Amino acid sequence: MKQLLRMALFGFVLSFATAAAAAERTITLAVEGMTCSMCPKTVQKAINAVPGVSQCTASYEDKVGTAVVTFEDSVTSINIIVAASAEIGYPAQLVIQ
């Protein structure tokens, strides 16, 4: 019984530590290839489909495409998000802020 209790406690502590280490991040991407008002919707759909992404808002103003992405860095990465945009024909890169 003590062994079971120790294992349960260890699992609880481990899950808490993992959750504490995870962080929600928000980044801005410069997105190439946008030419019309439908392009941002296509980019948003692709990036929002990436597991770990909680929100993506893309825009195309003054012939410059951007995407603001909020994601859980323990689930996905910037490289995966950028790849999702590139796979649909919109290469993207991180805007250093």
Side-chain angles (χ1 to χ4, degrees):
M1 182 69 170
K2 285 184 181 181
Q3 182 70 17
L4 183 60
L5 184 57
R6 281 188 200 134
M7 288 175 51
L9 181 59
F10 178 74
F12 174 75
V13 170
L14 184 61
S15 68
F16 180 73
T18 302
E24 186 173 80
R25 294 184 58 190
T26 300
I27 58 169
T28 301
L29 301 175
V31 183
E32 299 175 27
M34 289 191 188
T35 58
C36 69
S37 61
M38 285 303 295
C39 294
K41 293 175 184 171
T42 304
V43 171
Q44 279 179 201
K45 183 177 179 181
I47 293 176
N48 277 322
V50 173
V53 171
S54 58
Q55 181 178 2
C56 174
T57 305
S59 65
Y60 174 68
E61 295 178 17
D62 299 326
K63 299 190 180 196
V64 176
T66 60
V68 178
V69 185
T70 302
F71 66 99
E72 194 69 38
D73 68 358
S74 66
V75 179
T76 194
S77 69
I78 295 169
N79 290 340
I80 293 171
I81 294 167
V82 167
S85 184
E87 283 179 20
I88 59 164
Y90 298 94
Q93 60 185 346
L94 181 64
V95 174
I96 305 299
Q97 299 178 17

